[in-house]
Amino acid sequence: MAAMIEQTLALLDDRPLATTAGGRPVIELRGITKRFPGVVANDRVTLDIFAGEIHVLLGENGAGKSTLIDFLAGLQQPDAGTISVHGRSVEIGSPAESLALGIGTVFQHVQLVTSLTVLENLMLGGSSWRLLRRQPAIERFRELSDLLGVTIDPDVPVGRLALGEQQQVEIMHALWRGERVLILDEPTSMLTPQGVHHLGEVMKRLRDKGVAIIFITHKLREACDLGDRISALRLGRLVGQIDKTELATMTEQQITDRVVDLMFGKEPSDHAARLALDNQNARPDPNRIDRNAPPLFQLRGVATAAQPGECAVHDISFDLWPGEVLGIAGVDGNGQKHLAEVLAGQRTAVAGSILLGGADVTQGGVADRRREGISYITDERHGEGTVATFSVATNLVAKEIGTPPLWWGGISLWNRIHRHAREQIQRHDIRTASERTAIGKLSGGNIQKVLLARELTDRAALVVFNKPTNGLDLQNTQLARERIVEGAARGVAMIVISNELDELAAVGDRIGVMFRGRLTGIVANDDNANRRISLLMTGAGA
């Protein structure tokens, strides 16, 4: 690790030194405004980013954080306001111009080329001589892998990696050349605790070298542990900031209370947002489940086949009863992706059987499983879960196309489709200009609300969630968990795959653990669950 740090710092020395902390800002945003149809994404935002600081940017989904980052990454331009880098006013017209200014970005959603290998992705954008020197690139890759605590084949195509592993590659890419300004848009959401700790160490070392770091996170503990300065956005506006002097005198609880007040307001009606911070255990009474009755869903010795770089599942067996929530924990990349896909019918089981209500559905595909009452909410909201250019209304019925009552004889009944969409928008509080708005223009939290509305129907007997709250703010995280608990209370069986143990503790009746493609154990969600789960996640309890 020490060698890698020194190489990163040496790379930084090749760039012009940034202004020292406390001097003139490295980046100055003045009056930044951006409007989209029906919404003001950024409203006269003025913000300074200093060298030698980790500047945490907080805000609920749709607060304008990602739009602000897009300006610095060269993906969009503001309608009004100015951006200055090192005291010089600039217009960042492309990602290449952003990189040339020394700004490196890890986006919330994966930006890799899935058909290229991990190493090829990491070398993209470098000088031509670097493309021809594989050995130094391999050495750099190994150093970063050790630093982040990950094990990834550098020669596997990125498309074969789990989403968490792809995000780890994104972080490597941002650290590859050693930028003077580093933007991290929720980079820890799928890392192991060890990986989060190591990344925090790297961030602090880079900060101490003079790098300006913009760190977007929904995890307030990370903000408290790593932040030198915290800014909060609400409804596109900068509503407050806690500077280094204040942070040094505040306890973690005081910081949390102040941030929540900034993000959600101080009115009593807004206090529901605090529930996500209090980690309330809203699980229904486990005694409601009649385990003497036949199980609703059964897996018997299920296995999948893997391509290089993937983790297949082996001999997976469990029973699930109506109204039960089974959590699946584990470090990302231990077979969760294959498990989710084989449950949903997207991947074929090469061994074993899958039973729903006693009927064998092993050979059924996605449409067959859905007709039988199995719904699936993917962890990849963009791309797999939705079609960004299609309207909210179309995405809400994407899995019902051609079926009554919204279609008749192959004809789309658009009045009914739009009326159905308006009803769902109101019922699930989906924040959109209209049902005709392209879903890609919505925030991550509102896209997740669309998926919940689409999958949690009255016909669902079993719903499979893959990382249901990844990238969501406090309020939308709590909303998603409430939907899970409410569905279970109605008798719907739930499988929740997540690497957030707090989440599984909040909703699960039992929690299973995936390790190297095997279900190493299932434990009751009681006071001793965390210790047993931790052992199972390392293989020690297998």
Side-chain angles (χ1 to χ4, degrees):
M1 180 186 298
M4 178 268 161
I5 294 287
E6 294 307 320
Q7 181 174 349
T8 297
L9 301 181
L11 285 169
L12 291 173
D13 287 335
D14 292 336
R15 293 179 179 269
L17 287 176
T19 306
T20 57
R24 183 167 186 169
V26 177
I27 294 178
E28 300 169 80
L29 305 176
R30 295 290 180 266
I32 297 296
T33 299
K34 183 67 176 181
R35 297 179 178 85
F36 296 106
V39 64
V40 179
N42 290 131
D43 188 1
R44 295 165 292 175
V45 174
T46 292
L47 193 65
D48 290 332
I49 307 299
F50 291 91
E53 283 189 3
I54 299 174
H55 194 137
V56 178
L57 200 56
L58 294 170
E60 61 180 325
N61 292 115
K65 305 182 302 296
S66 294
T67 304
L68 209 59
I69 296 311
D70 282 351
F71 301 147
L72 297 178
L75 296 176
Q76 298 189 63
Q77 283 69 49
D79 296 330
T82 61
I83 300 174
S84 297
V85 178
H86 297 298
R88 180 169 60 90
S89 181
V90 297
E91 292 184 5
I92 308 176
S94 69
E97 292 180 17
S98 176
L99 289 171
L101 290 168
I103 302 173
T105 306
V106 175
F107 294 96
Q108 180 179 353
H109 303 292
V110 174
Q111 305 287 315
L112 303 171
V113 181
T114 57
S115 60
L116 297 182
T117 68
V118 170
L119 197 63
E120 288 168 345
N121 270 279
L122 292 174
M123 292 191 290
L124 281 178
S127 303
S128 59
W129 62 268
R130 286 188 177 178
L131 295 174
L132 301 176
R133 298 183 62 190
R134 174 181 169 85
Q135 191 56 39
I138 285 289
E139 293 174 1
R140 177 68 169 156
F141 171 81
R142 289 171 179 164
E143 290 167 348
L144 287 171
S145 295
D146 290 342
L147 175 74
L148 295 175
V150 300
T151 303
I152 298 175
D153 183 349
D155 295 315
V156 69
V158 163
R160 294 181 184 171
L161 299 178
L163 190 60
E165 293 170 314
Q166 292 182 23
Q167 190 174 26
Q168 292 160 2
V169 176
E170 289 273 24
I171 294 171
M172 289 185 184
H173 193 271
L175 297 173
W176 194 254
R177 291 181 296 271
E179 277 66 20
R180 298 302 294 175
V181 178
L182 183 61
I183 302 172
L184 300 172
D185 191 354
E186 297 190 50
T188 66
S189 58
M190 293 188 194
L191 291 181
T192 67
Q194 185 180 16
V196 172
H197 175 73
H198 286 319
L199 179 62
E201 289 183 346
V202 172
M203 290 168 62
K204 291 176 181 178
R205 286 295 305 275
L206 296 176
R207 172 199 64 190
D208 293 343
K209 185 64 177 180
V211 176
I213 299 175
I214 303 173
F215 181 41
I216 298 176
T217 180
H218 288 308
K219 301 176 182 178
L220 295 188
R221 184 174 298 277
E222 292 178 358
C224 295
D225 290 345
L226 297 174
D228 297 308
R229 190 184 303 266
I230 298 175
S231 296
L233 292 173
R234 172 153 46 103
L235 300 176
R237 293 185 177 182
L238 180 68
V239 292
Q241 187 174 95
I242 309 175
D243 63 23
K244 295 177 68 173
T245 304
E246 284 186 279
L247 284 174
T249 64
M250 298 171 71
T251 66
E252 183 174 327
Q253 187 59 52
Q254 288 173 329
I255 296 171
T256 296
D257 290 341
R258 174 81 175 277
V259 167
V260 173
D261 286 340
L262 290 173
M263 288 172 58
F264 299 105
K266 298 182 180 180
E267 296 302 318
S269 62
D270 292 322
H271 287 175
R274 296 178 183 271
L275 292 176
L277 294 172
D278 296 334
N279 194 25
Q280 295 292 323
N281 191 333
R283 287 179 289 123
D285 182 1
N287 295 324
R288 77 195 187 284
I289 300 170
D290 182 8
R291 299 193 187 278
N292 293 319
L296 171 72
F297 189 65
Q298 297 169 287
L299 262 66
R300 292 290 180 266
V302 169
T304 60
Q307 297 292 324
E310 298 178 344
C311 181
V313 296
H314 311 281
D315 195 26
I316 303 293
S317 298
F318 62 79
D319 294 337
L320 188 65
W321 278 264
E324 183 179 19
V325 180
L326 175 64
I328 300 293
V331 176
D332 202 57
N334 276 276
Q336 297 95 321
K337 181 179 176 68
H338 272 230
L339 178 61
E341 291 177 350
V342 78
L343 292 174
Q346 293 180 197
R347 184 176 294 274
T348 303
V350 297
S353 59
I354 302 173
L355 306 176
L356 179 67
D360 193 323
V361 296
T362 311
Q363 301 304 317
V366 174
D368 297 321
R369 301 272 174 96
R370 189 172 177 82
R371 279 193 295 269
E372 295 293 335
I374 299 177
S375 295
Y376 174 51
I377 298 181
T378 176
D379 61 340
E380 192 177 348
R381 292 189 288 268
H382 297 262
E384 182 181 339
T386 58
V387 181
T389 57
F390 286 8
S391 68
V392 172
T394 301
N395 275 281
L396 278 166
V397 297
K399 295 185 179 180
E400 310 292 338
I401 290 176
T403 61
L406 303 178
W407 274 262
W408 181 78
I411 299 174
S412 302
L413 304 178
W414 285 109
N415 286 338
R416 292 186 182 181
I417 292 171
H418 286 137
R419 183 166 62 249
H420 167 76
R422 290 192 293 272
E423 291 171 354
Q424 296 301 313
I425 288 169
Q426 182 175 9
R427 181 180 304 169
H428 294 271
D429 190 29
I430 300 169
R431 308 290 178 86
T432 177
S434 81
E435 74 276 8
R436 300 173 188 268
T437 301
I439 199 169
K441 295 182 179 180
L442 272 59
S443 68
N446 284 299
I447 293 175
Q448 188 72 347
K449 290 179 185 178
V450 171
L451 296 185
L452 290 168
R454 188 177 71 196
E455 304 300 335
L456 285 174
T457 67
D458 294 336
R459 301 188 302 276
L462 166 68
V463 181
V464 180
F465 296 85
N466 194 357
K467 303 184 185 73
T469 63
N470 177 46
L472 301 187
D473 61 33
L474 303 175
Q475 207 162 19
N476 284 305
T477 292
Q478 183 66 13
L479 175 65
R481 293 177 182 176
E482 288 174 354
R483 292 287 187 270
I484 293 170
V485 173
E486 290 168 0
R490 297 197 310 268
V492 180
M494 305 282 186
I495 297 175
V496 181
I497 301 171
S498 177
N499 50 12
E500 297 281 353
L501 290 183
D502 288 347
E503 177 162 85
L504 298 180
V507 301
D509 294 295
R510 293 182 297 155
I511 300 173
V513 177
M514 294 293 296
F515 181 72
R516 294 180 179 174
R518 297 185 182 275
L519 189 62
T520 56
I522 298 178
V523 304
N525 187 9
D526 55 26
D527 293 339
N528 296 319
N530 275 353
R531 181 178 181 278
R532 286 179 288 166
I533 290 169
S534 297
L535 290 172
L536 291 169
M537 286 177 68
T538 63

